[in-house]
PDB file of all heavy atoms in Angstrom:
ATOM      1  N   TRP A 206      13.549  17.884  13.548  1.00 98.00           N
ATOM      2  CA  TRP A 206      14.237  18.778  14.496  1.00 98.00           C
ATOM      3  C   TRP A 206      15.005  17.898  15.475  1.00 98.00           C
ATOM      4  O   TRP A 206      14.873  18.028  16.700  1.00 98.00           O
ATOM      5  CB  TRP A 206      13.218  19.662  15.204  1.00 98.00           C
ATOM      6  CG  TRP A 206      12.713  20.783  14.367  1.00 98.00           C
ATOM      7  CD1 TRP A 206      13.029  21.092  13.057  1.00 98.00           C
ATOM      8  CD2 TRP A 206      11.792  21.841  14.776  1.00 98.00           C
ATOM      9  NE1 TRP A 206      12.370  22.218  12.632  1.00 98.00           N
ATOM     10  CE2 TRP A 206      11.577  22.671  13.672  1.00 98.00           C
ATOM     11  CE3 TRP A 206      11.093  22.096  15.963  1.00 98.00           C
ATOM     12  CZ2 TRP A 206      10.760  23.809  13.730  1.00 98.00           C
ATOM     13  CZ3 TRP A 206      10.261  23.192  16.024  1.00 98.00           C
ATOM     14  CH2 TRP A 206      10.098  24.034  14.893  1.00 98.00           C
ATOM     15  N   GLU A 214      13.902  18.199  19.383  1.00 96.00           N
ATOM     16  CA  GLU A 214      13.329  19.462  19.779  1.00 96.00           C
ATOM     17  C   GLU A 214      11.852  19.444  19.386  1.00 96.00           C
ATOM     18  O   GLU A 214      11.491  19.177  18.245  1.00 96.00           O
ATOM     19  CB  GLU A 214      14.051  20.578  19.055  1.00 96.00           C
ATOM     20  CG  GLU A 214      13.511  21.935  19.408  1.00 96.00           C
ATOM     21  CD  GLU A 214      14.457  23.044  18.987  1.00 96.00           C
ATOM     22  OE1 GLU A 214      15.684  22.792  18.934  1.00 96.00           O
ATOM     23  OE2 GLU A 214      13.974  24.155  18.731  1.00 96.00           O
ATOM     24  N   ARG A 215      10.999  19.693  20.369  1.00 97.00           N
ATOM     25  CA  ARG A 215       9.548  19.676  20.168  1.00 97.00           C
ATOM     26  C   ARG A 215       9.097  18.290  19.654  1.00 97.00           C
ATOM     27  O   ARG A 215       8.212  18.204  18.790  1.00 97.00           O
ATOM     28  CB  ARG A 215       9.089  20.757  19.212  1.00 97.00           C
ATOM     29  CG  ARG A 215       9.675  22.140  19.459  1.00 97.00           C
ATOM     30  CD  ARG A 215       9.460  22.600  20.896  1.00 97.00           C
ATOM     31  NE  ARG A 215      10.011  23.907  21.101  1.00 97.00           N
ATOM     32  CZ  ARG A 215      10.029  24.521  22.294  1.00 97.00           C
ATOM     33  NH1 ARG A 215       9.584  23.897  23.372  1.00 97.00           N
ATOM     34  NH2 ARG A 215      10.541  25.706  22.426  1.00 97.00           N
ATOM     35  N   VAL A 256      16.890  22.610  13.053  1.00 98.00           N
ATOM     36  CA  VAL A 256      17.252  23.951  12.520  1.00 98.00           C
ATOM     37  C   VAL A 256      18.180  24.700  13.437  1.00 98.00           C
ATOM     38  O   VAL A 256      18.917  25.572  12.991  1.00 98.00           O
ATOM     39  CB  VAL A 256      15.970  24.781  12.303  1.00 98.00           C
ATOM     40  CG1 VAL A 256      15.268  24.360  11.026  1.00 98.00           C
ATOM     41  CG2 VAL A 256      15.043  24.730  13.505  1.00 98.00           C
ATOM     42  N   ASN A 257      18.150  24.378  14.720  1.00 98.00           N
ATOM     43  CA  ASN A 257      19.146  24.936  15.626  1.00 98.00           C
ATOM     44  C   ASN A 257      20.359  23.996  15.505  1.00 98.00           C
ATOM     45  O   ASN A 257      20.612  23.177  16.365  1.00 98.00           O
ATOM     46  CB  ASN A 257      18.608  25.022  17.045  1.00 98.00           C
ATOM     47  CG  ASN A 257      17.410  25.948  17.099  1.00 98.00           C
ATOM     48  OD1 ASN A 257      17.479  27.063  16.607  1.00 98.00           O
ATOM     49  ND2 ASN A 257      16.301  25.497  17.667  1.00 98.00           N
ATOM     50  N   LYS A 334      18.552  28.250   9.431  1.00 98.00           N
ATOM     51  CA  LYS A 334      17.899  29.189  10.336  1.00 98.00           C
ATOM     52  C   LYS A 334      19.007  30.177  10.729  1.00 98.00           C
ATOM     53  O   LYS A 334      19.988  29.792  11.346  1.00 98.00           O
ATOM     54  CB  LYS A 334      17.386  28.456  11.543  1.00 98.00           C
ATOM     55  CG  LYS A 334      16.869  29.348  12.660  1.00 98.00           C
ATOM     56  CD  LYS A 334      16.260  28.504  13.773  1.00 98.00           C
ATOM     57  CE  LYS A 334      15.782  29.340  14.945  1.00 98.00           C
ATOM     58  NZ  LYS A 334      15.150  28.529  15.979  1.00 98.00           N
ATOM     59  N   GLU A 338      16.502  33.594  17.114  1.00 93.00           N
ATOM     60  CA  GLU A 338      16.577  32.871  18.389  1.00 93.00           C
ATOM     61  C   GLU A 338      18.012  32.426  18.694  1.00 93.00           C
ATOM     62  O   GLU A 338      18.268  31.288  19.015  1.00 93.00           O
ATOM     63  CB  GLU A 338      15.615  31.671  18.371  1.00 93.00           C
ATOM     64  CG  GLU A 338      14.189  32.135  18.129  1.00 93.00           C
ATOM     65  CD  GLU A 338      13.139  31.027  18.141  1.00 93.00           C
ATOM     66  OE1 GLU A 338      13.480  29.883  17.835  1.00 93.00           O
ATOM     67  OE2 GLU A 338      11.979  31.318  18.478  1.00 93.00           O
ATOM     68  N   ARG A 371      15.278  30.019   5.851  1.00 98.00           N
ATOM     69  CA  ARG A 371      14.046  30.237   6.571  1.00 98.00           C
ATOM     70  C   ARG A 371      13.725  31.724   6.781  1.00 98.00           C
ATOM     71  O   ARG A 371      14.620  32.530   7.063  1.00 98.00           O
ATOM     72  CB  ARG A 371      14.122  29.567   7.946  1.00 98.00           C
ATOM     73  CG  ARG A 371      14.174  28.060   7.811  1.00 98.00           C
ATOM     74  CD  ARG A 371      14.251  27.399   9.153  1.00 98.00           C
ATOM     75  NE  ARG A 371      12.962  27.095   9.737  1.00 98.00           N
ATOM     76  CZ  ARG A 371      12.674  27.270  11.009  1.00 98.00           C
ATOM     77  NH1 ARG A 371      13.548  27.799  11.841  1.00 98.00           N
ATOM     78  NH2 ARG A 371      11.493  26.914  11.485  1.00 98.00           N
ATOM     79  N   PHE A 373      11.805  32.615   9.173  1.00 97.00           N
ATOM     80  CA  PHE A 373      11.474  32.759  10.605  1.00 97.00           C
ATOM     81  C   PHE A 373      12.603  33.529  11.292  1.00 97.00           C
ATOM     82  O   PHE A 373      13.425  32.977  11.978  1.00 97.00           O
ATOM     83  CB  PHE A 373      11.323  31.366  11.195  1.00 97.00           C
ATOM     84  CG  PHE A 373      10.907  31.342  12.658  1.00 97.00           C
ATOM     85  CD1 PHE A 373       9.660  31.794  13.054  1.00 97.00           C
ATOM     86  CD2 PHE A 373      11.789  30.860  13.614  1.00 97.00           C
ATOM     87  CE1 PHE A 373       9.277  31.753  14.372  1.00 97.00           C
ATOM     88  CE2 PHE A 373      11.408  30.842  14.963  1.00 97.00           C
ATOM     89  CZ  PHE A 373      10.174  31.298  15.336  1.00 97.00           C
ATOM     90  N   LYS A 406       6.972  29.939   7.422  1.00 98.00           N
ATOM     91  CA  LYS A 406       5.956  29.243   8.243  1.00 98.00           C
ATOM     92  C   LYS A 406       4.580  29.687   7.786  1.00 98.00           C
ATOM     93  O   LYS A 406       4.380  30.816   7.320  1.00 98.00           O
ATOM     94  CB  LYS A 406       6.148  29.591   9.703  1.00 98.00           C
ATOM     95  CG  LYS A 406       7.389  28.963  10.326  1.00 98.00           C
ATOM     96  CD  LYS A 406       7.428  29.154  11.836  1.00 98.00           C
ATOM     97  CE  LYS A 406       8.726  28.527  12.389  1.00 98.00           C
ATOM     98  NZ  LYS A 406       8.832  28.545  13.855  1.00 98.00           N
ATOM     99  N   ASP A 411       4.076  31.814  14.609  1.00 96.00           N
ATOM    100  CA  ASP A 411       4.783  30.593  14.945  1.00 96.00           C
ATOM    101  C   ASP A 411       3.866  29.374  15.197  1.00 96.00           C
ATOM    102  O   ASP A 411       3.665  29.016  16.350  1.00 96.00           O
ATOM    103  CB  ASP A 411       5.666  30.833  16.165  1.00 96.00           C
ATOM    104  CG  ASP A 411       6.691  29.760  16.398  1.00 96.00           C
ATOM    105  OD1 ASP A 411       6.707  28.829  15.603  1.00 96.00           O
ATOM    106  OD2 ASP A 411       7.460  29.864  17.362  1.00 96.00           O
ATOM    107  N   PHE A 412       3.367  28.768  14.163  1.00 97.00           N
ATOM    108  CA  PHE A 412       2.658  27.490  14.297  1.00 97.00           C
ATOM    109  C   PHE A 412       1.582  27.475  15.375  1.00 97.00           C
ATOM    110  O   PHE A 412       1.431  26.485  16.106  1.00 97.00           O
ATOM    111  CB  PHE A 412       3.654  26.374  14.621  1.00 97.00           C
ATOM    112  CG  PHE A 412       4.740  26.146  13.584  1.00 97.00           C
ATOM    113  CD1 PHE A 412       6.042  25.882  13.973  1.00 97.00           C
ATOM    114  CD2 PHE A 412       4.428  26.149  12.245  1.00 97.00           C
ATOM    115  CE1 PHE A 412       7.022  25.655  13.009  1.00 97.00           C
ATOM    116  CE2 PHE A 412       5.406  25.924  11.284  1.00 97.00           C
ATOM    117  CZ  PHE A 412       6.727  25.669  11.668  1.00 97.00           C
ATOM    118  N   GLU A 439       3.572  21.139  18.564  1.00 97.00           N
ATOM    119  CA  GLU A 439       4.112  21.916  19.651  1.00 97.00           C
ATOM    120  C   GLU A 439       3.078  22.789  20.351  1.00 97.00           C
ATOM    121  O   GLU A 439       3.020  22.876  21.566  1.00 97.00           O
ATOM    122  CB  GLU A 439       5.242  22.808  19.086  1.00 97.00           C
ATOM    123  CG  GLU A 439       5.872  23.744  20.091  1.00 97.00           C
ATOM    124  CD  GLU A 439       6.930  24.605  19.418  1.00 97.00           C
ATOM    125  OE1 GLU A 439       7.236  24.423  18.245  1.00 97.00           O
ATOM    126  OE2 GLU A 439       7.466  25.460  20.127  1.00 97.00           O
ATOM    127  N   TYR A 440       2.239  23.442  19.568  1.00 97.00           N
ATOM    128  CA  TYR A 440       1.252  24.367  20.139  1.00 97.00           C
ATOM    129  C   TYR A 440      -0.164  23.864  19.994  1.00 97.00           C
ATOM    130  O   TYR A 440      -1.112  24.599  20.151  1.00 97.00           O
ATOM    131  CB  TYR A 440       1.337  25.709  19.425  1.00 97.00           C
ATOM    132  CG  TYR A 440       2.658  26.439  19.532  1.00 97.00           C
ATOM    133  CD1 TYR A 440       3.630  26.330  18.549  1.00 97.00           C
ATOM    134  CD2 TYR A 440       2.972  27.229  20.655  1.00 97.00           C
ATOM    135  CE1 TYR A 440       4.829  27.012  18.634  1.00 97.00           C
ATOM    136  CE2 TYR A 440       4.179  27.903  20.760  1.00 97.00           C
ATOM    137  CZ  TYR A 440       5.107  27.797  19.748  1.00 97.00           C
ATOM    138  OH  TYR A 440       6.284  28.467  19.844  1.00 97.00           O
ATOM    139  N   HIS A 574       5.990  24.998  26.305  1.00 95.00           N
ATOM    140  CA  HIS A 574       4.765  25.286  25.527  1.00 95.00           C
ATOM    141  C   HIS A 574       3.660  24.265  25.833  1.00 95.00           C
ATOM    142  O   HIS A 574       2.804  24.015  25.005  1.00 95.00           O
ATOM    143  CB  HIS A 574       5.074  25.310  24.029  1.00 95.00           C
ATOM    144  CG  HIS A 574       6.020  26.412  23.665  1.00 95.00           C
ATOM    145  ND1 HIS A 574       6.739  26.442  22.510  1.00 95.00           N
ATOM    146  CD2 HIS A 574       6.376  27.520  24.339  1.00 95.00           C
ATOM    147  CE1 HIS A 574       7.505  27.552  22.475  1.00 95.00           C
ATOM    148  NE2 HIS A 574       7.300  28.191  23.602  1.00 95.00           N
ATOM    149  N   TRP A 747      12.837  23.115  25.491  1.00 61.00           N
ATOM    150  CA  TRP A 747      14.013  23.667  24.836  1.00 61.00           C
ATOM    151  C   TRP A 747      15.213  23.708  25.744  1.00 61.00           C
ATOM    152  O   TRP A 747      15.105  24.184  26.852  1.00 61.00           O
ATOM    153  CB  TRP A 747      13.674  25.068  24.364  1.00 61.00           C
ATOM    154  CG  TRP A 747      14.220  25.392  23.031  1.00 61.00           C
ATOM    155  CD1 TRP A 747      14.680  24.499  22.103  1.00 61.00           C
ATOM    156  CD2 TRP A 747      14.351  26.680  22.448  1.00 61.00           C
ATOM    157  NE1 TRP A 747      15.076  25.158  20.989  1.00 61.00           N
ATOM    158  CE2 TRP A 747      14.874  26.519  21.158  1.00 61.00           C
ATOM    159  CE3 TRP A 747      14.044  27.980  22.896  1.00 61.00           C
ATOM    160  CZ2 TRP A 747      15.135  27.590  20.310  1.00 61.00           C
ATOM    161  CZ3 TRP A 747      14.286  29.010  22.023  1.00 61.00           C
ATOM    162  CH2 TRP A 747      14.830  28.837  20.756  1.00 61.00           C
TER     163      TRP A 747
HETATM  164  C1  BDP B1051       9.567  27.603  17.634  1.00 85.55           C
HETATM  165  C2  BDP B1051      10.041  26.467  18.486  1.00 85.55           C
HETATM  166  C3  BDP B1051      11.529  26.350  18.517  1.00 85.55           C
HETATM  167  C4  BDP B1051      12.052  26.319  17.093  1.00 85.55           C
HETATM  168  C5  BDP B1051      11.566  27.536  16.357  1.00 85.55           C
HETATM  169  C6  BDP B1051      11.949  27.527  14.884  1.00 85.55           C
HETATM  170  O1  BDP B1051       9.568  26.668  19.804  1.00 85.55           O
HETATM  171  O2  BDP B1051      11.846  25.165  19.207  1.00 85.55           O
HETATM  172  O3  BDP B1051      13.454  26.287  17.094  1.00 85.55           O
HETATM  173  O4  BDP B1051      10.152  27.565  16.364  1.00 85.55           O
HETATM  174  O5  BDP B1051      11.104  27.206  14.065  1.00 85.55           O
HETATM  175  O6  BDP B1051       8.213  27.418  17.446  1.00 85.55           O
HETATM  176  O7  BDP B1051      13.095  27.793  14.552  1.00 85.55           O
END
Side-chain angles (χ1 to χ4, degrees):
W206 284 1
E214 180 164 332
R215 314 306 181 185
V256 282
N257 297 310
K334 171 175 178 178
E338 302 182 332
R371 294 180 90 221
F373 183 67
K406 290 189 181 185
D411 194 0
F412 300 139
E439 177 182 356
Y440 299 97
H574 298 161
W747 220 16

